[in-house]
Amino acid sequence: MEVHKIVIPTPYAVGDVNAFLVKGDALTLFDAGPKTEEAYEAIKWGLRSAGYDLKDVEQVVLTHHHPDHAGWIDAFPGAELLGHEYVDYWMKKEPSFLQYHEQFFKKLLKEQGVPDKYVNRILHVKGEIELFGTIPLTGYLKEGDEVPGHPGMKVYETPGHAQSHLIFVNEQTRECIGGDLLLERTSSNPLVEPPIDLSMERPKSLLQYNESLKRLKNLGISKVYSGHGGELTQIEPLIDERLEKQRQRAFKVYGLLDKPQTNFEMTTQLFERIYQQQLGLTLSETLGQFDYLVDQGMVEIEEQDGVQYYKKR
């Protein structure tokens, strides 16, 4: 599989994001960076270094809907735009969805014991609407599909980091366009997001993410082209390392749980220095560890006045 990597700057702490140009029966760009001028110039330069221009790209395929990956689909209005159907909620930005999104998080933040003074700040950070693309997808991809124009490249649904997350595996070479499922230098944060069915039932993102990592481990992948950092070839040991580190983080939470606590209270202990600056991310991380401990039967939830308290069994 001939893959040309395009490194794109982002305004996020994670740093640069990768897009991948793959020539098959169709010229396809996997992911498209955030919608900033710096990213746009990087995409143009990357395409030209491969001998192409924006107009030559026949389709854009998204690994997931997060803005550092899905911003510049607007640069390819004549191309096919493909991804998980959940992506379209963010491209269309219909008022009913945005209202639902806000209601979902207000309810969740109340359950997790977050003081009112922090709620609007978190909702604002979760918006970042200006960095998303604005063109709806022309088609959806789901589990078991083949990427159009790339015979033998199969779609796998791998939720956790994002509810829309997909990876794409060349069944012959076992190479994988991996998005943010497995990264070179850091673990992806399993972000709390509304469910695909737009109900009020929160997906257990960390548990989903762990299962997606285990699935990747069992696919016999030779190389992962990841969304940030370098390519990966030592897949299985890296996944084992990440899963073990997550287990250790969960046991740290368990050790600190000397009395019933809300997710917010535990977050302020775990991330004392940074939680106010990165409250959404840190709450999401802590909630994932509680989900893991509940799943392991080590912790249970007790609700008081609509607020959830976690305590040892």
Side-chain angles (χ1 to χ4, degrees):
M1 185 166 72
E2 185 178 343
V3 179
H4 179 79
K5 180 163 77 172
I6 300 173
V7 180
I8 305 168
T10 81
Y12 301 108
V14 71
D16 296 338
V17 66
N18 300 324
F20 297 99
L21 189 68
V22 181
K23 181 71 174 81
D25 297 338
L27 183 64
T28 301
L29 184 68
F30 289 86
D31 286 342
K35 199 174 181 184
T36 66
E37 285 302 316
E38 295 83 1
Y40 183 70
E41 292 301 319
I43 292 170
K44 287 198 300 183
W45 185 90
L47 289 171
R48 286 171 185 164
S49 71
Y52 299 102
D53 205 342
L54 292 171
K55 66 181 186 304
D56 298 319
V57 174
E58 296 171 277
Q59 62 183 11
V60 178
V61 175
L62 300 178
T63 59
H64 58 297
H65 70 277
H66 292 166
D68 55 331
H69 294 259
W72 270 120
I73 62 170
D74 288 13
F76 307 95
E80 295 294 312
L81 306 174
L82 306 174
H84 193 287
E85 63 178 332
Y86 190 88
V87 173
D88 249 357
Y89 292 122
W90 295 101
M91 301 301 106
K92 293 177 180 177
K93 305 176 189 65
E94 294 177 347
S96 59
F97 171 71
L98 296 178
Q99 183 179 19
Y100 156 76
H101 183 268
E102 183 170 320
Q103 290 173 344
F104 175 88
F105 276 104
K106 281 184 176 179
K107 176 178 181 292
L108 175 65
L109 295 171
K110 175 178 170 56
E111 289 174 347
Q112 301 303 314
V114 178
D116 290 340
K117 66 179 181 179
Y118 292 116
V119 170
N120 286 335
R121 185 197 306 178
I122 296 172
L123 293 175
H124 174 73
V125 169
K126 287 188 173 296
E128 298 173 332
I129 295 299
E130 69 278 1
L131 298 183
F132 283 95
T134 62
I135 302 176
L137 299 182
T138 60
Y140 298 150
L141 296 172
K142 63 182 185 305
E143 176 76 23
D145 284 348
E146 189 174 77
V147 178
H150 298 273
M153 181 175 278
K154 188 176 176 182
V155 177
Y156 291 84
E157 296 185 6
T158 51
H161 174 65
Q163 293 305 300
S164 61
H165 203 284
L166 304 173
I167 62 172
F168 309 97
V169 177
N170 184 311
E171 297 287 89
Q172 182 177 359
T173 66
R174 308 310 298 172
E175 294 171 286
C176 171
I177 305 291
D180 285 358
L181 179 56
L182 185 66
L183 304 179
E184 179 184 22
R185 300 186 185 92
T186 185
S187 295
S188 294
N189 195 323
L191 297 172
V192 175
E193 294 178 334
I196 289 171
D197 64 4
L198 302 190
S199 69
M200 298 303 280
E201 184 174 348
R202 175 180 65 86
K204 306 297 192 295
S205 299
L206 179 62
L207 301 184
Q208 290 177 321
Y209 181 67
N210 285 351
E211 290 305 309
S212 292
L213 282 179
K214 292 172 186 176
R215 188 177 195 200
L216 179 65
K217 179 181 175 181
N218 292 329
L219 284 175
I221 300 300
S222 63
K223 180 184 286 188
V224 172
Y225 295 92
S226 65
H228 303 272
E231 288 69 66
L232 308 171
T233 56
Q234 301 299 313
I235 313 301
E236 295 184 19
L238 182 57
I239 290 173
D240 288 340
E241 176 188 318
R242 295 285 163 78
L243 290 172
E244 175 57 24
K245 285 184 177 178
Q246 182 272 301
R247 191 183 73 86
Q248 291 174 6
R249 287 193 293 271
F251 274 83
K252 180 179 180 180
V253 171
Y254 186 78
L256 291 171
L257 197 63
D258 54 354
K259 62 181 180 179
Q261 294 187 51
T262 66
N263 183 44
F264 177 78
E265 290 170 334
M266 180 60 74
T267 297
T268 62
Q269 290 187 68
L270 287 173
F271 302 99
E272 183 178 0
R273 295 182 179 179
I274 65 168
Y275 80 88
Q276 293 198 48
Q277 289 75 39
Q278 301 183 39
L279 189 53
L281 288 173
T282 54
L283 284 168
S284 188
E285 166 69 21
T286 309
L287 185 56
Q289 305 309 333
F290 274 133
D291 285 342
Y292 177 84
L293 293 169
V294 170
D295 186 65
Q296 295 294 307
M298 300 171 65
V299 165
E300 61 185 358
I301 301 171
E302 186 177 82
E303 190 165 311
Q304 299 177 23
D305 299 324
V307 177
Q308 294 180 349
Y309 291 82
Y310 296 86
K311 65 178 185 179
K312 292 180 178 179
R313 281 188 176 275

Short mmCIF file of all heavy atoms in Angstrom, two decimals, residues 60 62 70 73-74 76-85 87-94 132-140:
data_model
loop_
_atom_site.label_atom_id
_atom_site.label_comp_id
_atom_site.label_asym_id
_atom_site.label_seq_id
_atom_site.Cartn_x
_atom_site.Cartn_y
_atom_site.Cartn_z
N VAL A 60 -12.44 11.94 0.44
CA VAL A 60 -11.88 12.13 1.78
C VAL A 60 -12.59 11.15 2.70
O VAL A 60 -13.82 11.11 2.75
CB VAL A 60 -12.06 13.58 2.28
CG1 VAL A 60 -11.51 13.73 3.69
CG2 VAL A 60 -11.39 14.56 1.33
N LEU A 62 -12.85 9.85 6.70
CA LEU A 62 -12.55 10.29 8.06
C LEU A 62 -12.49 9.11 9.02
O LEU A 62 -13.37 8.25 9.03
CB LEU A 62 -13.62 11.28 8.53
CG LEU A 62 -13.75 12.56 7.70
CD1 LEU A 62 -14.88 13.42 8.25
CD2 LEU A 62 -12.44 13.34 7.66
N ALA A 70 -11.33 16.33 11.15
CA ALA A 70 -12.48 16.48 10.25
C ALA A 70 -12.73 17.92 9.81
O ALA A 70 -13.81 18.22 9.31
CB ALA A 70 -13.74 15.92 10.92
N ILE A 73 -12.57 19.10 5.37
CA ILE A 73 -13.33 18.49 4.28
C ILE A 73 -13.91 19.59 3.39
O ILE A 73 -14.20 19.34 2.21
CB ILE A 73 -14.45 17.56 4.80
CG1 ILE A 73 -15.49 18.32 5.62
CG2 ILE A 73 -13.88 16.40 5.57
CD1 ILE A 73 -16.71 17.48 5.94
N ASP A 74 -14.01 20.80 3.93
CA ASP A 74 -14.51 21.92 3.13
C ASP A 74 -13.59 22.27 1.97
O ASP A 74 -14.00 22.96 1.03
CB ASP A 74 -14.68 23.16 4.02
CG ASP A 74 -15.85 23.04 4.97
OD1 ASP A 74 -16.38 21.92 5.13
OD2 ASP A 74 -16.24 24.06 5.57
N PHE A 76 -12.52 20.23 -0.14
CA PHE A 76 -12.70 19.24 -1.21
C PHE A 76 -14.18 19.11 -1.57
O PHE A 76 -14.78 18.03 -1.46
CB PHE A 76 -12.16 17.89 -0.75
CG PHE A 76 -10.74 17.94 -0.26
CD1 PHE A 76 -10.46 18.08 1.10
CD2 PHE A 76 -9.67 17.90 -1.15
CE1 PHE A 76 -9.15 18.15 1.55
CE2 PHE A 76 -8.37 17.96 -0.70
CZ PHE A 76 -8.10 18.10 0.65
N PRO A 77 -14.81 20.21 -1.99
CA PRO A 77 -16.27 20.18 -2.23
C PRO A 77 -16.70 19.25 -3.36
O PRO A 77 -17.84 18.83 -3.42
CB PRO A 77 -16.59 21.64 -2.56
CG PRO A 77 -15.31 22.22 -3.06
CD PRO A 77 -14.23 21.53 -2.28
N GLY A 78 -15.78 18.93 -4.28
CA GLY A 78 -16.13 18.03 -5.38
C GLY A 78 -15.85 16.57 -5.10
O GLY A 78 -16.16 15.71 -5.94
N ALA A 79 -15.27 16.27 -3.94
CA ALA A 79 -14.89 14.90 -3.62
C ALA A 79 -16.01 14.16 -2.91
O ALA A 79 -16.91 14.77 -2.33
CB ALA A 79 -13.63 14.90 -2.75
N GLU A 80 -15.95 12.84 -2.94
CA GLU A 80 -16.79 12.03 -2.07
C GLU A 80 -16.27 12.19 -0.64
O GLU A 80 -15.06 12.18 -0.40
CB GLU A 80 -16.75 10.56 -2.48
CG GLU A 80 -17.34 10.28 -3.85
CD GLU A 80 -18.82 10.55 -3.90
OE1 GLU A 80 -19.55 10.09 -3.01
OE2 GLU A 80 -19.25 11.25 -4.85
N LEU A 81 -17.18 12.33 0.32
CA LEU A 81 -16.82 12.52 1.72
C LEU A 81 -17.43 11.39 2.52
O LEU A 81 -18.66 11.28 2.61
CB LEU A 81 -17.32 13.88 2.21
CG LEU A 81 -16.89 15.09 1.39
CD1 LEU A 81 -17.58 16.36 1.89
CD2 LEU A 81 -15.38 15.26 1.39
N LEU A 82 -16.59 10.56 3.11
CA LEU A 82 -17.06 9.32 3.73
C LEU A 82 -16.59 9.21 5.17
O LEU A 82 -15.49 9.63 5.53
CB LEU A 82 -16.53 8.11 2.95
CG LEU A 82 -16.82 8.08 1.44
CD1 LEU A 82 -16.11 6.89 0.79
CD2 LEU A 82 -18.32 8.03 1.17
N GLY A 83 -17.44 8.61 6.01
CA GLY A 83 -17.10 8.38 7.41
C GLY A 83 -18.29 7.73 8.10
O GLY A 83 -19.31 7.40 7.48
N HIS A 84 -18.17 7.57 9.39
CA HIS A 84 -19.27 7.03 10.20
C HIS A 84 -20.45 8.00 10.17
O HIS A 84 -20.26 9.22 10.13
CB HIS A 84 -18.77 6.85 11.63
CG HIS A 84 -19.67 6.02 12.50
ND1 HIS A 84 -20.89 6.49 12.98
CD2 HIS A 84 -19.54 4.75 12.98
CE1 HIS A 84 -21.46 5.55 13.72
NE2 HIS A 84 -20.66 4.49 13.74
N GLU A 85 -21.66 7.48 10.22
CA GLU A 85 -22.83 8.35 10.13
C GLU A 85 -22.90 9.37 11.27
O GLU A 85 -23.47 10.45 11.13
CB GLU A 85 -24.12 7.53 10.10
CG GLU A 85 -24.39 6.69 11.33
CD GLU A 85 -25.71 5.93 11.24
OE1 GLU A 85 -26.62 6.42 10.54
OE2 GLU A 85 -25.82 4.86 11.85
N VAL A 87 -20.61 11.20 12.26
CA VAL A 87 -19.85 12.40 11.86
C VAL A 87 -20.79 13.49 11.36
O VAL A 87 -20.55 14.68 11.58
CB VAL A 87 -18.83 12.03 10.76
CG1 VAL A 87 -18.15 13.28 10.20
CG2 VAL A 87 -17.79 11.05 11.30
N ASP A 88 -21.86 13.09 10.69
CA ASP A 88 -22.74 14.07 10.06
C ASP A 88 -23.42 15.00 11.06
O ASP A 88 -23.77 16.13 10.71
CB ASP A 88 -23.80 13.36 9.21
CG ASP A 88 -23.58 13.59 7.72
OD1 ASP A 88 -22.65 14.33 7.36
OD2 ASP A 88 -24.35 13.05 6.92
N TYR A 89 -23.63 14.56 12.29
CA TYR A 89 -24.19 15.46 13.30
C TYR A 89 -23.32 16.70 13.45
O TYR A 89 -23.82 17.81 13.66
CB TYR A 89 -24.32 14.76 14.64
CG TYR A 89 -25.35 13.66 14.68
CD1 TYR A 89 -24.99 12.35 15.03
CD2 TYR A 89 -26.68 13.91 14.37
CE1 TYR A 89 -25.93 11.34 15.07
CE2 TYR A 89 -27.63 12.90 14.40
CZ TYR A 89 -27.24 11.61 14.76
OH TYR A 89 -28.18 10.61 14.79
N TRP A 90 -22.00 16.50 13.35
CA TRP A 90 -21.07 17.61 13.55
C TRP A 90 -20.89 18.43 12.28
O TRP A 90 -20.58 19.62 12.34
CB TRP A 90 -19.74 17.07 14.05
CG TRP A 90 -19.91 16.47 15.39
CD1 TRP A 90 -20.01 15.14 15.71
CD2 TRP A 90 -20.07 17.17 16.62
NE1 TRP A 90 -20.22 14.99 17.05
CE2 TRP A 90 -20.25 16.21 17.63
CE3 TRP A 90 -20.07 18.52 16.95
CZ2 TRP A 90 -20.44 16.57 18.96
CZ3 TRP A 90 -20.25 18.88 18.27
CH2 TRP A 90 -20.43 17.90 19.25
N MET A 91 -21.05 17.81 11.12
CA MET A 91 -20.95 18.57 9.88
C MET A 91 -22.20 19.43 9.67
O MET A 91 -22.12 20.59 9.26
CB MET A 91 -20.78 17.62 8.70
CG MET A 91 -19.55 16.73 8.77
SD MET A 91 -17.98 17.63 8.87
CE MET A 91 -17.54 17.35 10.59
N LYS A 92 -23.36 18.87 9.98
CA LYS A 92 -24.62 19.59 9.74
C LYS A 92 -24.92 20.62 10.83
O LYS A 92 -25.54 21.65 10.57
CB LYS A 92 -25.77 18.58 9.64
CG LYS A 92 -25.69 17.68 8.43
CD LYS A 92 -26.82 16.65 8.42
CE LYS A 92 -26.75 15.75 7.21
NZ LYS A 92 -27.80 14.70 7.23
N LYS A 93 -24.53 20.29 12.07
CA LYS A 93 -24.71 21.21 13.21
C LYS A 93 -26.14 21.72 13.31
O LYS A 93 -26.40 22.92 13.51
CB LYS A 93 -23.74 22.40 13.08
CG LYS A 93 -22.29 22.00 12.95
CD LYS A 93 -21.41 23.22 12.73
CE LYS A 93 -19.99 22.85 12.37
NZ LYS A 93 -19.90 22.15 11.05
N GLU A 94 -27.09 20.84 13.19
CA GLU A 94 -28.49 21.24 13.27
C GLU A 94 -28.82 21.69 14.69
O GLU A 94 -28.34 21.10 15.66
CB GLU A 94 -29.39 20.08 12.84
CG GLU A 94 -29.23 19.74 11.36
CD GLU A 94 -30.07 18.55 10.94
OE1 GLU A 94 -30.58 17.83 11.83
OE2 GLU A 94 -30.20 18.32 9.72
N PHE A 132 -14.69 22.66 12.90
CA PHE A 132 -15.26 21.54 12.15
C PHE A 132 -15.52 21.96 10.71
O PHE A 132 -15.72 23.14 10.40
CB PHE A 132 -16.60 21.11 12.77
CG PHE A 132 -16.48 20.29 14.01
CD1 PHE A 132 -16.54 20.89 15.26
CD2 PHE A 132 -16.32 18.92 13.94
CE1 PHE A 132 -16.45 20.13 16.42
CE2 PHE A 132 -16.22 18.15 15.09
CZ PHE A 132 -16.28 18.76 16.33
N GLY A 133 -15.58 20.97 9.83
CA GLY A 133 -16.05 21.21 8.48
C GLY A 133 -17.53 21.51 8.47
O GLY A 133 -18.22 21.39 9.49
N THR A 134 -18.03 21.89 7.30
CA THR A 134 -19.44 22.27 7.19
C THR A 134 -20.17 21.51 6.09
O THR A 134 -21.37 21.72 5.90
CB THR A 134 -19.56 23.78 6.90
OG1 THR A 134 -18.93 24.07 5.64
CG2 THR A 134 -18.91 24.61 7.99
N ILE A 135 -19.48 20.64 5.36
CA ILE A 135 -20.11 19.92 4.26
C ILE A 135 -20.55 18.54 4.76
O ILE A 135 -19.73 17.77 5.26
CB ILE A 135 -19.15 19.76 3.07
CG1 ILE A 135 -18.67 21.12 2.59
CG2 ILE A 135 -19.83 19.00 1.93
CD1 ILE A 135 -17.65 21.05 1.47
N PRO A 136 -21.83 18.19 4.63
CA PRO A 136 -22.28 16.86 5.04
C PRO A 136 -21.58 15.75 4.24
O PRO A 136 -21.13 15.97 3.10
CB PRO A 136 -23.78 16.88 4.74
CG PRO A 136 -24.15 18.33 4.72
CD PRO A 136 -22.94 19.03 4.17
N LEU A 137 -21.49 14.59 4.84
CA LEU A 137 -20.91 13.44 4.15
C LEU A 137 -21.77 13.06 2.94
O LEU A 137 -22.99 13.24 2.95
CB LEU A 137 -20.81 12.25 5.10
CG LEU A 137 -19.93 12.43 6.35
CD1 LEU A 137 -19.89 11.12 7.14
CD2 LEU A 137 -18.53 12.89 6.00
N THR A 138 -21.11 12.53 1.93
CA THR A 138 -21.85 12.03 0.77
C THR A 138 -22.18 10.55 0.91
O THR A 138 -22.98 10.02 0.15
CB THR A 138 -21.03 12.24 -0.52
OG1 THR A 138 -19.78 11.55 -0.41
CG2 THR A 138 -20.77 13.71 -0.75
N GLY A 139 -21.55 9.88 1.87
CA GLY A 139 -21.83 8.46 2.10
C GLY A 139 -21.31 8.03 3.45
O GLY A 139 -20.42 8.67 4.03
N TYR A 140 -21.88 6.95 3.97
CA TYR A 140 -21.49 6.44 5.28
C TYR A 140 -20.72 5.13 5.15
O TYR A 140 -20.96 4.34 4.22
CB TYR A 140 -22.73 6.19 6.15
CG TYR A 140 -23.56 7.43 6.44
CD1 TYR A 140 -24.93 7.33 6.65
CD2 TYR A 140 -22.97 8.69 6.50
CE1 TYR A 140 -25.70 8.46 6.92
CE2 TYR A 140 -23.72 9.82 6.77
CZ TYR A 140 -25.08 9.71 6.97
OH TYR A 140 -25.84 10.82 7.23
#
